Amino acid sequence: MRRHLRFGSYLVSLCGAFILLSSLHSSAQKTVVQDAGPGVKQEFDYDAAGRIVEIRTVGTDGKLQGKVNNVYNAMSEVELQTNTAYWPDGKSIQKIGSVRFDQNFNFTSEIIEDFDQSGKHVSGHQLFHDPVTGIFRCFDWKAAPQKYQAIDCPASEESHEGPKTTPKITRDEVLKHLAAARQTAKADQKSGRMKPKEPVQDAITTTDKDVGIVLPALLRPGARVSGSITNDPDRFAGNPELLVTRVSLPIPSGGDASQLSGWTYELKGSDPQPASDPFSLVVPTGAAELAFTLRQTANPATAVSGKLEIPRTTAKPAPAPKNFESAALCFKQDTCVVAGPLSGDSRETFAAFDSVPAPIVAETDSMAVIDTPFFMNLGPAALIVAEGTQVNAMPVVVAHLALSLNHQPIKPPDYMITILRVEAVGELGDDQWRYGVFPTGNVERARALVPGFNPAKAVEQEREQREKQEKQDGLPKKDDKKDESAGMVLVVVKNNTPQLVAPRGAKEQTFVFHLTPESFAMGEFKYDIVLDPLKAGTFSLKLTAIPFLAPVRAQVFDAESATAKN
């Protein structure tokens, strides 16, 4: 059991049982007796499948000291293990402890009960865990009424509660972060333009590789927008806020042209610029497409041309936002949206998370889509967006969604366990947990993964289910505004290689998690996934996290004065 609560009591280790099961096996039903110390014997009972179903420890006086019972699932893995300890008479039970796991080895329950020599139940506890929601429920045995009563679960070593209110960001902090981030960005830009000495290598080969030209999804005629080119278009594909055009380039194995900085990008009617830099344009009126060319800088004859489609829109322009706001929760290696009165030219806009510069993937005059840097600390951060002398700082939390194993080779008959981790979401303050839909494209993004998904309905159903369970457990109704208004984080794990692996418990090759503040009461959210191989190959799982939280307002600073507005 990976996550133990601090009951300071007897816990059963399933790992020990697995070691024992792997070292002792038989093909027929029988009992095997072994020495376990001076005069002490252990008796192992096997079923017809060769699985240990009971282990008894017998003392020098021939009396039973304890026993272990195993219950197996359909995969012949221990699902429930019960340990029983006896008083010296070998008949009266002193303690019973049981621990249960689901088919993916996620801990689901622990029950510990203590008895005196007369057989009276004197103490104990029950701990239940829903692996899909991450919520724990705890009960303590009360001797006087002789029954279990619900209690608040004790803190674990990983427990952490976010602040009640998000701390204000000071002007000095913001300007220090901004100066450091600008300095880092300049150093990165300089190093990116340096030409390293080419190592001695074999003859250069050329491979076609997809890059992506990324623009805002909303291209309003006459409006200025900005975009960028990425060598990993899959990262941004499926994002409703973005339009990704794939282009196959002949990328050599060495030389300048092996990187985007060794190519130029030309839009019809504009000068060429390095493909690694952001670009900006005014959306032409009445045009359905826009011609472009990607060309090798050192070898201009090598070029790829294409057309960017300009989607038609009948929607009326939304009113220009007067204030800046952003998503409250941003995940590493994903985008984070900021809304506000922008120029639309990302070359004039600078973004950073604290002192870490953050590339702007795409921008309009009302929205910037920012790439959350991978190499930065998790937890609270100031998302800074600066244009001219105006600096906007939004209090956000940077989280991480990851699998312990992914894109790994696998082959029968050995299964593989990968652990889903959702880190740092518990750092959100109470005021950051408020329900909302920002950006609005989050609903479309969620429904592409979970057809028909309704975030408001899902939040309400989760709340009603928790309140019903708490009532059944006998807990008093919470007077908690955070719980009443809290949003959720939708996490989806999809199997992209159904021909290679079968994830246990997945519905249509997909796991769906609705995570709420209670999901992080014991620290990061974890969920084990067992992958049963169907044939040899490299498996791939796709992870997506979509927060349904209200946006956070920016504090606005003037870089040339000491004033700030909320």
Side-chain angles (χ1 to χ4, degrees):
M1 172 174 149
R2 232 174 243 101
R3 217 174 331 191
H4 296 314
L5 299 186
R6 290 180 180 169
F7 280 100
S9 63
Y10 170 84
L11 290 173
V12 181
S13 170
L14 188 64
C15 295
F18 283 147
I19 294 171
L20 191 59
L21 288 170
S22 64
S23 61
L24 296 168
H25 52 84
S26 175
S27 59
Q29 185 175 6
K30 63 178 181 179
T31 298
V32 174
V33 179
Q34 290 188 353
D35 290 331
V40 179
K41 303 289 185 182
Q42 281 193 321
E43 301 171 347
F44 298 87
D45 288 350
Y46 293 83
D47 63 12
R51 304 174 302 190
I52 299 174
V53 293
E54 185 170 285
I55 306 170
R56 294 178 298 279
T57 301
V58 180
T60 56
D61 55 3
K63 293 180 180 178
L64 187 61
Q65 293 181 345
K67 66 177 180 179
V68 179
N69 295 90
N70 295 320
V71 176
Y72 296 84
N73 61 21
M75 305 294 291
S76 290
E77 295 151 352
V78 175
E79 176 184 290
L80 172 66
Q81 187 178 81
T82 303
N83 281 248
T84 307
Y86 292 87
W87 287 101
D89 63 7
K91 297 179 181 179
S92 303
I93 294 175
Q94 181 180 14
K95 185 189 291 285
I96 298 178
S98 64
V99 64
R100 186 183 291 273
F101 294 80
D102 68 10
Q103 62 184 326
N104 283 303
F105 306 131
N106 292 294
F107 165 75
T108 60
S109 70
E110 174 192 82
I111 299 175
I112 306 295
E113 297 181 323
D114 295 289
F115 302 86
D116 63 17
Q117 285 185 284
S118 69
K120 183 180 179 180
H121 190 176
V122 293
S123 64
H125 73 254
Q126 296 176 336
L127 168 62
F128 300 99
H129 174 231
D130 183 344
V132 176
T133 65
I135 295 175
F136 287 83
R137 297 162 48 231
C138 299
F139 301 83
D140 219 3
W141 179 257
K142 302 301 179 182
Q146 285 285 289
K147 67 176 183 179
Y148 281 101
Q149 291 183 358
I151 61 170
D152 291 332
C153 289
S156 74
E157 293 179 359
E158 299 175 2
S159 295
H160 179 81
E161 188 173 354
K164 294 295 181 184
T165 57
T166 306
K168 292 289 185 181
I169 306 169
T170 68
R171 179 177 181 274
D172 285 346
E173 288 175 331
V174 170
L175 295 188
K176 284 180 181 178
H177 283 317
L178 183 59
R182 288 188 188 277
Q183 188 173 3
T184 300
K186 287 181 180 178
D188 290 345
Q189 191 176 40
K190 183 178 179 180
S191 64
R193 289 174 178 171
M194 292 177 64
K195 296 182 179 181
K197 184 179 179 180
E198 287 288 338
V200 177
Q201 59 178 18
D202 297 331
I204 292 178
T205 58
T206 300
T207 305
D208 288 341
K209 181 181 178 181
D210 276 0
V211 300
I213 302 173
V214 185
L215 282 166
L218 182 60
L219 298 176
R220 198 171 65 251
R224 177 165 289 282
V225 298
S226 298
S228 57
I229 302 175
T230 176
N231 54 19
D232 188 5
D234 289 336
R235 284 192 57 213
F236 306 109
N239 188 326
E241 314 299 332
L242 300 173
L243 180 67
V244 181
T245 302
R246 289 178 179 268
V247 183
S248 182
L249 294 183
I251 302 292
S253 58
D256 292 345
S258 62
Q259 305 293 328
L260 279 175
S261 56
W263 293 73
T264 60
Y265 177 64
E266 308 168 28
L267 284 172
K268 185 178 180 181
S270 63
D271 294 329
Q273 67 170 65
S276 55
D277 292 351
F279 61 88
S280 185
L281 68 133
V282 174
V283 180
T285 301
E289 54 190 27
L290 191 62
F292 69 86
T293 300
L294 281 161
R295 191 184 307 275
Q296 280 191 21
T297 307
N299 183 15
T302 302
V304 175
S305 297
K307 293 179 180 180
L308 297 173
E309 186 177 336
I310 302 176
R312 291 184 179 181
T313 176
T314 57
K316 294 181 179 180
K322 296 180 180 179
N323 302 298
F324 278 82
E325 59 184 13
S326 76
L329 183 65
C330 304
F331 281 87
K332 283 186 176 185
Q333 294 183 294
D334 202 349
T335 58
C336 203
V337 171
V338 173
L342 292 153
S343 65
D345 189 345
S346 63
R347 298 169 301 182
E348 303 299 323
T349 309
F350 186 82
F353 287 84
D354 285 344
S355 300
V356 182
I360 297 174
V361 178
E363 182 178 318
T364 68
D365 58 6
S366 61
M367 179 193 71
V369 181
I370 299 170
D371 194 3
T372 309
F374 180 76
F375 296 103
M376 67 172 298
N377 295 330
L378 298 178
L383 172 51
I384 302 169
V385 175
E387 267 198 347
T389 62
Q390 181 173 310
V391 181
N392 307 277
M394 290 138 287
V396 303
V397 168
V398 177
H400 191 211
L401 176 69
L403 288 169
S404 60
L405 295 172
N406 200 4
H407 307 292
Q408 299 286 323
I410 190 172
K411 63 179 180 179
D414 298 327
Y415 63 75
M416 186 176 289
I417 300 176
T418 184
I419 305 170
L420 170 69
R421 285 187 169 91
V422 186
E423 302 175 83
V425 176
E427 300 279 353
L428 286 167
D430 288 3
D431 52 345
Q432 293 172 310
W433 263 115
R434 292 180 300 114
Y435 171 76
V437 178
F438 182 88
T440 55
N442 275 358
V443 175
E444 180 185 341
R445 189 182 181 193
R447 288 176 179 169
L449 299 167
V450 185
F453 180 75
N454 183 327
K457 185 177 180 180
V459 166
E460 185 60 30
Q461 287 177 340
E462 292 290 328
R463 184 180 299 116
E464 290 176 353
Q465 186 174 343
R466 289 196 305 273
E467 290 176 351
K468 182 180 179 181
Q469 185 65 65
E470 288 168 357
K471 186 177 180 180
Q472 289 178 352
D473 293 344
L475 289 170
K477 183 176 176 60
K478 292 182 180 179
D479 183 18
D480 192 341
K481 292 182 180 180
K482 169 185 172 182
D483 188 62
E484 291 176 0
S485 62
M488 62 169 286
V489 180
L490 174 69
V491 173
V492 180
V493 182
K494 185 174 179 60
N495 179 19
N496 282 343
T497 48
Q499 74 281 8
L500 297 180
V501 293
R504 293 187 192 175
K507 294 180 180 179
E508 298 181 356
Q509 304 295 329
T510 302
F511 292 96
V512 178
F513 305 91
H514 300 165
L515 305 183
T516 63
E518 291 79 6
S519 304
F520 304 94
M522 295 298 164
E524 66 178 349
F525 175 84
K526 296 179 184 178
Y527 188 87
D528 290 5
I529 299 172
V530 176
L531 303 172
D532 290 311
L534 304 177
K535 63 179 183 179
T538 299
F539 74 88
S540 173
L541 303 180
K542 182 180 179 181
L543 298 176
T544 307
I546 307 174
F548 285 94
L549 304 171
V552 292
R553 291 281 298 271
Q555 288 177 250
V556 184
F557 301 92
D558 188 332
E560 295 183 350
S561 71
T563 59
K565 296 182 292 181
N566 292 329

